[in-house]
Coordinates of all heavy atoms in Angstrom, one line a residue:
M103 N 49.9 -29.0 12.6 CA 48.6 -28.7 13.0 C 48.5 -28.6 14.5 O 49.4 -29.1 15.2 CB 47.6 -29.9 12.5 CG 47.9 -31.2 13.1 SD 46.6 -32.5 12.6 CE 45.3 -32.1 13.8
H104 N 47.4 -28.0 15.0 CA 47.2 -28.0 16.4 C 46.4 -29.2 16.8 O 45.5 -29.7 16.1 CB 46.4 -26.7 16.8 CG 47.2 -25.5 16.7 ND1 48.2 -25.2 17.5 CD2 47.1 -24.4 15.8 CE1 48.8 -24.0 17.1 NE2 48.1 -23.6 16.1
C105 N 46.7 -29.7 18.0 CA 45.9 -30.8 18.6 C 44.4 -30.3 18.7 O 44.2 -29.2 19.2 CB 46.5 -31.1 19.9 SG 45.6 -32.4 20.8
R106 N 43.5 -31.1 18.3 CA 42.1 -30.7 18.3 C 41.4 -31.0 19.7 O 41.9 -31.9 20.4 CB 41.2 -31.4 17.2 CG 41.0 -32.9 17.4 CD 40.1 -33.5 16.3 NE 40.8 -33.5 15.0 CZ 41.5 -34.6 14.6 NH1 41.7 -35.6 15.4 NH2 42.1 -34.6 13.4
D107 N 40.4 -30.2 20.0 CA 39.7 -30.5 21.3 C 38.9 -31.7 21.1 O 38.5 -32.1 20.0 CB 38.7 -29.3 21.5 CG 39.5 -28.0 22.0 OD1 40.6 -28.2 22.5 OD2 38.9 -26.9 21.8
N108 N 38.6 -32.3 22.2 CA 37.7 -33.5 22.3 C 38.1 -34.6 21.4 O 37.3 -35.2 20.7 CB 36.2 -33.1 22.0 CG 35.7 -32.1 23.0 OD1 35.8 -32.4 24.2 ND2 35.2 -31.0 22.5
C109 N 39.4 -34.9 21.3 CA 39.9 -36.0 20.5 C 40.4 -37.1 21.4 O 39.7 -38.1 21.7 CB 40.9 -35.5 19.5 SG 41.6 -36.8 18.4
G110 N 41.6 -37.0 21.8 CA 42.2 -38.1 22.7 C 42.5 -39.4 22.0 O 42.8 -40.4 22.6
A111 N 42.4 -39.4 20.7 CA 42.7 -40.6 19.9 C 44.0 -41.2 20.2 O 44.2 -42.4 20.4 CB 42.5 -40.4 18.4
C112 N 45.0 -40.3 20.4 CA 46.4 -40.8 20.6 C 46.6 -41.3 22.1 O 47.6 -41.8 22.4 CB 47.4 -39.7 20.3 SG 47.1 -38.2 21.1
C113 N 45.6 -41.1 22.9 CA 45.6 -41.6 24.3 C 44.8 -42.8 24.4 O 44.6 -43.3 25.5 CB 45.1 -40.5 25.2 SG 46.0 -38.9 25.1
I114 N 44.2 -43.3 23.3 CA 43.4 -44.5 23.3 C 43.9 -45.6 22.4 O 44.1 -46.7 22.8 CB 41.9 -44.1 23.0 CG1 41.3 -43.2 24.0 CG2 41.0 -45.4 22.9 CD1 40.0 -42.5 23.6
A115 N 44.1 -45.2 21.1 CA 44.4 -46.2 20.1 C 45.8 -46.9 20.3 O 45.9 -48.1 20.2 CB 44.4 -45.6 18.7
P116 N 46.9 -46.2 20.6 CA 48.2 -46.9 20.7 C 48.4 -47.5 22.0 O 47.8 -47.1 23.0 CB 49.2 -45.7 20.5 CG 48.4 -44.5 20.3 CD 47.0 -44.7 20.7
S117 N 49.3 -48.5 22.0 CA 49.7 -49.1 23.3 C 50.8 -48.1 23.8 O 51.5 -47.5 23.0 CB 50.3 -50.5 23.1 OG 51.4 -50.5 22.2
I118 N 50.9 -48.0 25.1 CA 52.0 -47.2 25.8 C 52.6 -48.1 26.8 O 52.0 -48.3 27.9 CB 51.4 -45.9 26.3 CG1 50.7 -45.1 25.2 CG2 52.5 -45.1 27.0 CD1 50.1 -43.8 25.7
S119 N 53.8 -48.6 26.5 CA 54.4 -49.6 27.4 C 54.7 -49.1 28.8 O 54.5 -49.8 29.8 CB 55.6 -50.2 26.7 OG 56.5 -49.2 26.4
S120 N 55.1 -47.9 28.9 CA 55.5 -47.4 30.2 C 54.3 -47.2 31.1 O 54.4 -47.2 32.3 CB 56.3 -46.0 30.1 OG 55.5 -45.1 29.4
L121 N 53.1 -47.2 30.5 CA 51.9 -47.1 31.3 C 51.2 -48.4 31.4 O 50.1 -48.6 32.0 CB 50.9 -46.1 30.7 CG 51.3 -44.6 30.7 CD1 50.3 -43.8 30.0 CD2 51.5 -44.1 32.1
K122 N 51.8 -49.4 30.7 CA 51.2 -50.8 30.6 C 49.8 -50.6 30.0 O 48.9 -51.3 30.4 CB 51.2 -51.5 32.0 CG 52.5 -51.8 32.5 CD 52.4 -52.6 33.8 CE 53.8 -53.1 34.3 NZ 54.9 -52.1 34.4
K123 N 49.7 -49.7 29.1 CA 48.4 -49.4 28.5 C 48.3 -50.2 27.2 O 49.1 -50.0 26.2 CB 48.2 -47.9 28.2 CG 46.8 -47.6 27.7 CD 46.7 -46.2 27.2 CE 46.8 -46.1 25.7 NZ 45.9 -47.0 24.9
P124 N 47.3 -51.1 27.1 CA 47.2 -51.9 25.8 C 46.6 -51.0 24.7 O 45.9 -50.0 25.0 CB 46.2 -53.0 26.1 CG 46.1 -53.0 27.6 CD 46.4 -51.6 28.1
A125 N 46.8 -51.3 23.5 CA 46.2 -50.6 22.4 C 44.7 -50.7 22.5 O 44.1 -51.7 22.9 CB 46.6 -51.3 21.0
G126 N 44.1 -49.5 22.2 CA 42.6 -49.5 22.1 C 41.9 -49.3 23.5 O 40.7 -49.2 23.6
V127 N 42.8 -49.1 24.5 CA 42.2 -48.9 25.9 C 42.5 -47.5 26.3 O 43.6 -47.0 26.1 CB 42.9 -49.9 26.9 CG1 42.5 -49.6 28.3 CG2 42.5 -51.3 26.5
R128 N 41.5 -46.8 26.8 CA 41.6 -45.5 27.2 C 42.7 -45.3 28.3 O 42.6 -46.1 29.3 CB 40.2 -45.0 27.7 CG 40.1 -43.6 28.0 CD 38.7 -43.4 28.6 NE 38.6 -42.0 29.0 CZ 37.9 -41.1 28.3 NH1 37.2 -41.5 27.2 NH2 37.8 -39.8 28.6
C129 N 43.6 -44.4 28.2 CA 44.6 -44.1 29.2 C 43.9 -43.7 30.5 O 42.9 -42.9 30.5 CB 45.5 -43.0 28.8 SG 46.7 -42.6 30.1
E130 N 44.4 -44.2 31.6 CA 43.8 -43.9 32.9 C 43.9 -42.4 33.2 O 43.2 -41.9 34.1 CB 44.5 -44.7 34.0 CG 46.0 -44.4 34.2 CD 46.7 -45.2 35.2 OE1 46.2 -45.3 36.3 OE2 47.7 -45.9 34.8
Y131 N 44.8 -41.7 32.6 CA 45.0 -40.2 32.8 C 44.2 -39.3 31.9 O 44.3 -38.1 32.0 CB 46.5 -39.9 32.8 CG 47.3 -40.6 33.8 CD1 48.2 -41.5 33.4 CD2 47.1 -40.4 35.1 CE1 49.0 -42.2 34.3 CE2 47.9 -41.1 36.1 CZ 48.8 -42.0 35.7 OH 49.5 -42.7 36.6
L132 N 43.4 -39.9 31.0 CA 42.6 -39.1 30.1 C 41.2 -38.8 30.8 O 40.5 -39.7 31.2 CB 42.4 -39.9 28.8 CG 41.8 -39.2 27.6 CD1 42.7 -38.1 27.1 CD2 41.5 -40.2 26.5
N133 N 40.9 -37.5 30.9 CA 39.7 -37.2 31.6 C 38.5 -37.2 30.6 O 38.6 -37.5 29.4 CB 39.8 -35.9 32.4 CG 39.9 -34.6 31.5 OD1 39.6 -34.7 30.3 ND2 40.3 -33.5 32.1
E134 N 37.3 -36.8 31.1 CA 36.1 -36.9 30.3 C 36.1 -35.9 29.2 O 35.4 -36.1 28.2 CB 34.9 -36.7 31.2 CG 34.6 -37.8 32.2 CD 34.4 -39.1 31.5 OE1 33.6 -39.2 30.5 OE2 35.1 -40.1 31.9
Q135 N 36.9 -34.9 29.3 CA 37.0 -33.9 28.2 C 38.1 -34.2 27.3 O 38.6 -33.4 26.5 CB 37.3 -32.5 28.8 CG 36.1 -31.9 29.5 CD 35.8 -32.5 30.9 OE1 36.7 -32.8 31.6 NE2 34.5 -32.8 31.1
Y136 N 38.6 -35.4 27.3 CA 39.7 -35.9 26.5 C 41.0 -35.1 26.7 O 41.7 -34.8 25.7 CB 39.3 -36.0 25.0 CG 38.2 -37.0 24.7 CD1 37.0 -36.6 24.4 CD2 38.5 -38.3 24.8 CE1 36.0 -37.5 24.1 CE2 37.5 -39.3 24.6 CZ 36.2 -38.8 24.2 OH 35.2 -39.7 23.9
R137 N 41.2 -34.7 27.9 CA 42.5 -34.0 28.2 C 43.3 -34.8 29.2 O 42.8 -35.5 30.0 CB 42.1 -32.6 28.9 CG 41.5 -31.6 27.9 CD 41.4 -30.3 28.5 NE 40.8 -29.4 27.5 CZ 41.5 -28.7 26.6 NH1 42.8 -28.8 26.6 NH2 40.9 -27.9 25.7
C138 N 44.6 -34.6 29.0 CA 45.5 -35.4 29.9 C 45.6 -34.7 31.3 O 45.9 -33.5 31.4 CB 46.9 -35.4 29.2 SG 48.2 -36.2 30.3
T139 N 45.4 -35.5 32.3 CA 45.4 -34.9 33.6 C 46.8 -34.9 34.3 O 46.9 -34.3 35.4 CB 44.5 -35.8 34.6 OG1 44.9 -37.1 34.5 CG2 43.0 -35.7 34.1
I140 N 47.8 -35.4 33.6 CA 49.2 -35.3 34.1 C 50.0 -34.5 33.0 O 51.2 -34.8 33.0 CB 49.8 -36.7 34.4 CG1 49.8 -37.6 33.2 CG2 49.0 -37.3 35.6 CD1 50.6 -38.9 33.4
F141 N 49.4 -33.7 32.2 CA 50.1 -33.1 31.1 C 51.5 -32.4 31.5 O 52.4 -32.6 30.8 CB 49.2 -32.0 30.5 CG 49.7 -31.6 29.1 CD1 49.5 -32.3 28.0 CD2 50.4 -30.4 29.0 CE1 50.0 -31.9 26.7 CE2 50.9 -30.0 27.8 CZ 50.7 -30.7 26.6
N142 N 51.5 -31.7 32.6 CA 52.8 -31.0 32.9 C 53.5 -31.7 34.0 O 54.4 -31.1 34.7 CB 52.5 -29.5 33.3 CG 52.1 -28.7 32.1 OD1 52.8 -28.8 31.0 ND2 51.1 -27.9 32.2
Q143 N 53.2 -32.9 34.3 CA 53.8 -33.6 35.4 C 54.9 -34.6 34.9 O 54.9 -35.0 33.8 CB 52.7 -34.3 36.2 CG 51.8 -33.4 36.9 CD 50.7 -34.1 37.7 OE1 50.9 -35.1 38.2 NE2 49.5 -33.5 37.7
P144 N 55.9 -34.8 35.8 CA 57.0 -35.6 35.4 C 56.7 -37.1 35.1 O 57.5 -37.7 34.4 CB 58.0 -35.5 36.6 CG 57.2 -35.0 37.7 CD 56.0 -34.3 37.2
N145 N 55.6 -37.5 35.6 CA 55.2 -38.9 35.3 C 54.5 -39.1 34.0 O 54.2 -40.2 33.6 CB 54.4 -39.5 36.4 CG 53.1 -38.7 36.7 OD1 53.1 -37.5 36.5 ND2 52.1 -39.4 37.2
R146 N 54.4 -38.0 33.2 CA 53.8 -38.2 31.9 C 54.9 -38.8 31.0 O 56.0 -38.4 30.9 CB 53.4 -36.8 31.3 CG 52.7 -36.9 29.9 CD 52.2 -35.6 29.5 NE 51.6 -35.6 28.2 CZ 51.9 -34.9 27.1 NH1 52.9 -34.0 27.2 NH2 51.2 -35.0 26.0
P147 N 54.5 -39.9 30.3 CA 55.6 -40.7 29.6 C 56.2 -39.9 28.5 O 55.5 -39.0 27.9 CB 54.8 -41.9 29.0 CG 53.6 -42.0 29.9 CD 53.2 -40.6 30.3
Q148 N 57.4 -40.2 28.2 CA 58.1 -39.5 27.1 C 57.4 -39.8 25.8 O 57.4 -38.9 24.9 CB 59.6 -40.0 27.0 CG 60.6 -39.1 27.6 CD 62.0 -39.5 27.2 OE1 62.3 -40.7 27.2 NE2 62.9 -38.6 27.0
A149 N 56.9 -41.0 25.7 CA 56.1 -41.3 24.4 C 55.0 -40.3 24.2 O 54.7 -40.0 23.0 CB 55.6 -42.7 24.5
C150 N 54.4 -39.8 25.2 CA 53.3 -38.8 25.1 C 53.9 -37.4 24.8 O 53.4 -36.7 23.9 CB 52.5 -38.8 26.4 SG 51.8 -40.3 26.8
S151 N 54.9 -37.0 25.5 CA 55.4 -35.6 25.3 C 56.1 -35.5 24.0 O 56.2 -34.4 23.4 CB 56.4 -35.2 26.4 OG 57.3 -36.2 26.7
G152 N 56.6 -36.6 23.4 CA 57.2 -36.6 22.1 C 56.3 -36.7 20.9 O 56.7 -36.5 19.8
F153 N 55.0 -36.9 21.2 CA 54.0 -37.1 20.1 C 53.4 -35.7 19.8 O 52.9 -35.0 20.7 CB 52.9 -38.1 20.5 CG 52.0 -38.3 19.4 CD1 52.2 -39.3 18.5 CD2 50.8 -37.6 19.4 CE1 51.3 -39.5 17.4 CE2 49.9 -37.9 18.3 CZ 50.1 -38.8 17.4
Q154 N 53.6 -35.3 18.6 CA 53.0 -34.0 18.2 C 51.9 -34.2 17.2 O 51.9 -35.2 16.4 CB 54.1 -33.2 17.5 CG 55.3 -32.8 18.3 CD 55.0 -31.8 19.4 OE1 54.3 -30.9 19.2 NE2 55.6 -32.1 20.6
A155 N 50.9 -33.4 17.3 CA 49.8 -33.5 16.4 C 50.2 -33.3 14.9 O 50.9 -32.3 14.6 CB 48.7 -32.4 16.7
E156 N 49.9 -34.2 14.1 CA 50.3 -34.1 12.7 C 49.2 -34.7 11.8 O 48.6 -35.8 12.2 CB 51.6 -35.0 12.4 CG 52.9 -34.3 12.6 CD 54.0 -35.2 12.2 OE1 54.0 -35.7 11.1 OE2 55.0 -35.3 13.0
A157 N 48.9 -34.1 10.7 CA 47.7 -34.5 9.9 C 47.9 -36.0 9.5 O 47.0 -36.8 9.4 CB 47.6 -33.7 8.7
L158 N 49.2 -36.4 9.3 CA 49.4 -37.8 8.9 C 48.9 -38.8 10.0 O 48.5 -39.9 9.6 CB 51.0 -38.0 8.8 CG 51.5 -39.2 8.2 CD1 51.1 -39.4 6.8 CD2 53.0 -39.3 8.3
F159 N 49.0 -38.4 11.2 CA 48.5 -39.3 12.3 C 47.1 -39.0 12.8 O 46.3 -39.9 13.2 CB 49.5 -39.2 13.5 CG 50.9 -39.5 13.2 CD1 51.9 -38.6 13.4 CD2 51.2 -40.7 12.6 CE1 53.2 -38.9 13.1 CE2 52.5 -41.0 12.2 CZ 53.5 -40.1 12.5
C160 N 46.8 -37.7 12.8 CA 45.6 -37.2 13.4 C 44.4 -37.2 12.5 O 43.2 -37.0 12.9 CB 45.8 -35.9 14.0 SG 47.2 -35.9 15.2
G161 N 44.6 -37.3 11.2 CA 43.6 -37.3 10.2 C 42.8 -36.0 10.2 O 43.2 -34.9 10.7
N162 N 41.6 -36.0 9.7 CA 40.7 -34.8 9.7 C 39.7 -34.7 10.8 O 39.0 -33.7 11.0 CB 39.9 -34.8 8.4 CG 40.8 -34.6 7.2 OD1 41.7 -33.7 7.2 ND2 40.7 -35.5 6.2
N163 N 39.6 -35.8 11.6 CA 38.7 -35.8 12.7 C 39.1 -37.0 13.7 O 40.0 -37.7 13.4 CB 37.2 -36.0 12.2 CG 37.0 -37.2 11.3 OD1 37.4 -38.3 11.7 ND2 36.5 -37.0 10.1
R164 N 38.4 -37.0 14.7 CA 38.7 -38.0 15.8 C 38.6 -39.5 15.3 O 39.4 -40.3 15.6 CB 37.7 -37.8 17.0 CG 38.0 -38.7 18.1 CD 37.2 -38.3 19.3 NE 37.6 -39.1 20.4 CZ 37.2 -40.3 20.7 NH1 36.2 -40.8 20.0 NH2 37.7 -41.0 21.7
V165 N 37.5 -39.7 14.5 CA 37.3 -41.1 14.0 C 38.5 -41.5 13.1 O 39.0 -42.6 13.2 CB 35.9 -41.2 13.3 CG1 35.8 -42.6 12.6 CG2 34.8 -41.0 14.3
E166 N 38.9 -40.6 12.2 CA 40.0 -40.9 11.3 C 41.3 -41.1 12.1 O 42.1 -42.0 11.8 CB 40.2 -39.7 10.4 CG 39.4 -39.8 9.1 CD 39.8 -38.7 8.1 OE1 40.9 -38.3 8.1 OE2 38.9 -38.4 7.3
A167 N 41.5 -40.3 13.2 CA 42.7 -40.5 14.0 C 42.7 -41.8 14.7 O 43.7 -42.5 14.7 CB 42.7 -39.4 15.1
I168 N 41.6 -42.3 15.2 CA 41.5 -43.6 15.8 C 41.9 -44.7 14.7 O 42.6 -45.6 15.0 CB 40.1 -43.9 16.4 CG1 39.8 -42.9 17.6 CG2 40.0 -45.3 16.7 CD1 40.3 -43.5 18.9
Q169 N 41.3 -44.5 13.6 CA 41.5 -45.5 12.5 C 43.0 -45.5 12.1 O 43.6 -46.6 12.0 CB 40.7 -45.2 11.3 CG 39.2 -45.5 11.5 CD 38.3 -45.0 10.4 OE1 38.7 -44.1 9.6 NE2 37.1 -45.5 10.3
I170 N 43.6 -44.4 11.9 CA 45.0 -44.3 11.5 C 45.9 -44.8 12.6 O 46.8 -45.7 12.3 CB 45.4 -42.8 11.2 CG1 44.6 -42.3 9.9 CG2 46.9 -42.7 11.0 CD1 44.7 -40.8 9.7
L171 N 45.7 -44.4 13.8 CA 46.6 -44.8 14.9 C 46.4 -46.3 15.2 O 47.4 -47.0 15.6 CB 46.3 -44.0 16.1 CG 46.8 -42.5 15.9 CD1 46.2 -41.6 17.1 CD2 48.3 -42.3 15.8
T172 N 45.2 -46.8 15.0 CA 45.0 -48.3 15.2 C 45.7 -49.1 14.1 O 46.4 -50.1 14.4 CB 43.5 -48.6 15.2 OG1 42.9 -47.9 16.3 CG2 43.2 -50.1 15.4
H173 N 45.7 -48.6 12.9 CA 46.3 -49.2 11.8 C 47.9 -49.2 12.1 O 48.5 -50.2 11.9 CB 46.0 -48.5 10.5 CG 46.7 -49.1 9.3 ND1 46.4 -50.4 8.8 CD2 47.7 -48.6 8.6 CE1 47.3 -50.6 7.8 NE2 48.0 -49.6 7.6
L174 N 48.4 -48.1 12.4 CA 49.8 -47.9 12.7 C 50.3 -48.9 13.8 O 51.3 -49.5 13.8 CB 50.2 -46.5 13.0 CG 50.2 -45.5 11.9 CD1 50.4 -44.1 12.4 CD2 51.3 -45.9 10.9
E175 N 49.4 -49.0 14.8 CA 49.7 -49.8 16.0 C 49.9 -51.3 15.5 O 50.8 -52.0 15.8 CB 48.6 -49.7 17.0 CG 48.8 -50.6 18.2 CD 49.8 -50.3 19.2 OE1 50.2 -49.1 19.2 OE2 50.3 -51.1 19.9
S176 N 48.9 -51.7 14.6 CA 49.0 -53.1 14.2 C 50.1 -53.3 13.2 O 50.7 -54.4 13.2 CB 47.6 -53.5 13.5 OG 47.5 -52.8 12.3
E177 N 50.6 -52.3 12.5 CA 51.7 -52.4 11.6 C 53.1 -52.5 12.4 O 54.0 -53.0 11.9 CB 51.8 -51.2 10.7 CG 50.7 -51.1 9.7 CD 50.8 -52.0 8.5 OE1 51.8 -51.8 7.8 OE2 50.0 -52.9 8.4
T178 N 53.1 -52.0 13.6 CA 54.4 -51.9 14.4 C 54.4 -52.9 15.5 O 55.4 -52.9 16.3 CB 54.6 -50.5 14.9 OG1 53.4 -50.1 15.7 CG2 54.7 -49.4 13.8
T179 N 53.5 -53.8 15.6 CA 53.6 -54.8 16.7 C 53.8 -56.2 16.0 O 53.5 -56.4 14.9 CB 52.3 -54.9 17.5 OG1 51.1 -54.9 16.7 CG2 52.2 -53.7 18.5
Ligands
SF4_80 S1 45.2 -37.8 17.8 FE1 46.1 -35.8 17.3 S2 44.4 -34.3 17.4 FE2 43.8 -36.1 18.5 S3 44.4 -35.7 20.6 FE3 46.1 -36.8 19.7 S4 47.5 -35.2 18.9 FE4 45.5 -34.2 19.3
SF4_81 S1 49.5 -39.9 29.9 FE1 48.3 -38.2 29.1 S2 49.1 -37.8 27.1 FE2 49.8 -39.8 27.7 S3 48.3 -41.3 26.9 FE3 47.7 -40.7 29.0 S4 46.2 -39.1 28.9 FE4 47.3 -39.2 26.9

């Protein structure tokens, strides 16, 4: 699937250790349009560049994506 516009769930729900970003906290690099402001820059974490939009994780809409990713986060910590 293609990453949807105005989502950003994967930049909010999971923790990202290299950014010291806790789960459920909006990434400091996510802008108001839910786009990554360091998308093509070398300081974008590998965890981010390795994450691809997939229905399994992204659900059918933003709310589902937050729910799924929050659940996965709690299962893996
Ligand atoms: S959760 Fe999925 S659809 Fe939403 S921004 Fe991330 S990759 Fe894109
Ligand atoms: S660095 Fe970019 S892709 Fe990674 S969580 Fe932050 S906003 Fe999202």
Side-chain angles (χ1 to χ4, degrees):
M103 68 173 275
H104 289 292
C105 179
R106 71 177 70 90
D107 288 336
N108 297 308
C109 180
C112 55
C113 304
I114 298 170
S117 61
I118 301 176
S119 56
S120 58
L121 294 176
K122 297 184 170 49
K123 188 193 96 53
V127 173
R128 187 184 179 105
C129 175
E130 62 184 305
Y131 298 114
L132 191 64
N133 71 14
E134 291 303 309
Q135 289 73 43
Y136 295 110
R137 290 188 179 272
C138 177
T139 55
I140 58 167
F141 192 81
N142 287 317
Q143 294 178 32
N145 56 332
R146 186 174 180 234
Q148 259 191 325
C150 302
S151 46
F153 185 84
Q154 299 291 320
E156 274 186 46
L158 187 64
F159 303 124
C160 304
N162 293 308
N163 53 54
R164 180 170 191 273
V165 171
E166 276 189 22
I168 293 271
Q169 288 170 343
I170 293 166
L171 293 169
T172 299
H173 177 70
L174 286 173
E175 175 75 24
S176 68
E177 294 280 296
T178 54
T179 49

